[in-house]
Amino acid sequence: MFRAAVTRRLQQSALLLRFQSTLVIAEHANDTLAPITLNTITAAKRLGGEVSCLIAGTKCDKVAQDLCKVAGVAKVLVAEHDAYKGLLPEELTPLILATQKQFNYTHICAGASAFGKNLLPRVAAKLDVAPISDIIAVKSPDTFVRTIYAGNALCTVKCDEKVKVFSVRGTSFEAAATSGGSAGSEKASPPAPVGISEWLDQKLTKSDRPELTGAKVVVSGGRGLKSGENFKLLYDLADQLHAAVGASRAAVDAGFVPNDMQVGQTGKIVAPELYIAVGISGAIQHLAGMKDSKTIVAINKDPEAPIFQVADYGIVADLFKVVPEMTELLKKK
Ligand code: FAD
């Protein structure tokens, strides 16, 4: 009798998994896929059901072809229209709702980047469900894990909504393989443009350095740098290490660097192979954005600075002496 009950329970869960279907909203720049989409696909695969991706844009053939090859993606839906320029939530939301109406997904998700954070609350509101932001693990199709208190506590969330809408922390899921898949692509039918907002232009910071959230090495500076000009020390070091440059909120608030460089609870979440924190005290809100880095090096003149509690290597020294020395040594290599 016990065996029969267990078999029945297993059959029920297998049936439940078969009925899961997830829509991943792809973040892209027409010809390149944002890496966080691959992490989001991995999270979607953990739910157990079929994974489809929706690409909205103007000329997204290349991204559609790339997505079809991603392992574990069953279907790629492509919606092309001038209204999707700039991926505005006002225009993407009706498209997602129409796609949802057609295919009845149990889950809708995107990366927890500015794109996903901008879009998903609107989608969830229109579906009249509560969204879950920034998940770091999937326990079952209706149970997710996220962090609270600046990353210092884990919170398991059970979601009973008819459609589960959630954003995915990229650094918590490995990227799905970009080969091995053979998804079919089909055209989605875009609803009429809403026309309440229009994408005009974007001015992107041009940099030869890698993008902060995807970089293998990150050098970050804090209030200890004392000025924006002094960040040159970090740029020189970063160039030797092919690193991205980040900053603490204090450095951003003081106007040393722009806010797209901020790492932390209210900035970007990074988990590089190597994180070098320079003149950063190590407040919990900063740690929330970088403590999953594989190796952490801290340079701080205060031996009591909390950053040393999470650092694998600590240098108690004046950054204005140590950083140029490091750069010179790397140049000689
Ligand atoms: P400080 O705490 O002032 O530290 C500067 C450090 O530099 C000190 O440890 C000092 O010893 C060292 N130093 C000074 N001179 C030198 C020198 N010559 N050589 C070596 N070391 C030197 N912070 C973030 O970073 N990211 C966030 O996303 C974020 N979000 C927040 C959200 C909320 C709701 C709140 C309340 C706060 C948030 N903060 C965030 C702010 C956070 O609490 C800290 O105030 C901030 O991280 C401090 O930045 P800091 O380490 O650069 O500055």
Side-chain angles (χ1 to χ4, degrees):
M1 216 168 114
F2 174 70
R3 189 182 291 176
V6 171
T7 313
R8 203 165 45 246
R9 180 58 71 88
L10 285 173
Q11 283 168 342
Q12 278 169 352
S13 353
L15 208 63
L16 198 71
L17 287 183
R18 206 174 323 138
F19 287 123
Q20 308 301 322
S21 58
T22 304
L23 181 65
V24 174
I25 318 297
E27 179 177 349
H28 65 95
N30 275 333
D31 50 358
T32 50
L33 193 63
I36 196 167
T37 303
L38 296 173
N39 310 101
T40 308
I41 291 170
T42 301
K45 288 200 288 190
R46 302 257 161 93
L47 294 161
E50 193 175 282
V51 176
S52 300
C53 291
L54 174 65
I55 309 173
T58 44
K59 287 179 198 132
C60 17
D61 291 356
K62 165 82 171 59
V63 174
Q65 282 165 17
D66 290 350
L67 260 183
C68 285
K69 292 185 209 140
V70 173
V73 174
K75 186 159 57 180
V76 174
L77 298 161
V78 185
E80 288 184 317
H81 195 288
D82 273 353
Y84 301 142
K85 245 188 218 167
L87 305 178
L88 299 175
E90 292 85 346
E91 294 295 348
L92 291 199
T93 304
L95 169 68
I96 294 166
L97 297 180
T99 313
Q100 168 63 12
K101 205 166 169 194
Q102 190 181 355
F103 295 103
N104 255 319
Y105 295 103
T106 52
H107 298 74
I108 298 176
C109 60
S113 55
F115 166 75
K117 288 180 190 170
N118 225 358
L119 176 66
L120 292 180
R122 193 177 186 95
V123 172
K126 293 281 186 187
L127 289 169
D128 197 20
V129 300
I132 306 170
S133 61
D134 206 13
I135 66 149
I136 60 162
V138 172
K139 286 201 153 177
S140 75
D142 60 5
T143 313
F144 305 90
V145 182
R146 58 185 300 260
T147 59
I148 49 172
Y149 302 123
N152 283 291
L154 295 179
C155 166
T156 301
V157 186
K158 177 139 180 359
C159 177
D160 292 328
E161 300 286 13
K162 54 185 191 295
V163 187
K164 285 126 184 96
V165 176
F166 60 94
S167 63
V168 174
R169 183 178 296 186
T171 54
S172 298
F173 297 88
E174 73 274 16
T178 49
S179 60
S182 55
S185 101
E186 59 184 79
K187 290 223 175 309
S189 24
V194 182
I196 52 169
S197 54
E198 191 189 350
W199 185 87
L200 296 177
D201 193 13
Q202 68 180 4
K203 290 192 172 60
L204 295 176
T205 320
K206 285 210 175 75
S207 168
D208 294 335
R209 292 187 198 96
E211 202 274 319
L212 192 53
T213 50
K216 288 201 163 53
V217 181
V218 173
V219 179
S220 274
R223 196 175 350 230
L225 265 294
K226 296 194 169 57
S227 74
E229 291 76 59
N230 289 337
F231 261 73
K232 171 144 191 336
L233 294 175
L234 301 195
Y235 298 133
D236 291 346
L237 177 61
D239 287 343
Q240 296 306 314
L241 294 165
H242 307 290
V245 178
S248 71
R249 177 155 152 187
V252 170
D253 288 351
F256 298 171
V257 288
N259 70 355
D260 61 353
M261 285 172 64
Q262 185 177 317
V263 172
Q265 184 190 341
T266 43
K268 291 185 174 153
I269 310 271
V270 299
E273 302 285 325
L274 173 63
Y275 188 88
I276 306 180
V278 183
I280 292 179
S281 59
I284 51 166
Q285 295 90 355
H286 186 79
L287 302 186
M290 46 62 78
K291 70 176 163 33
D292 290 334
S293 305
K294 294 241 164 53
T295 302
I296 298 172
V297 174
I299 302 171
N300 198 304
K301 66 178 183 185
D302 173 9
E304 303 297 324
I307 191 76
F308 289 126
Q309 285 165 23
V310 297
D312 299 285
Y313 300 94
I315 306 174
V316 180
D318 186 340
L319 71 91
F320 294 103
K321 184 170 178 298
V322 168
V323 174
E325 276 175 14
M326 284 168 78
T327 308
E328 284 312 310
L329 282 173
L330 284 163
K331 275 186 188 160
K332 283 187 198 144
K333 263 189 77 188

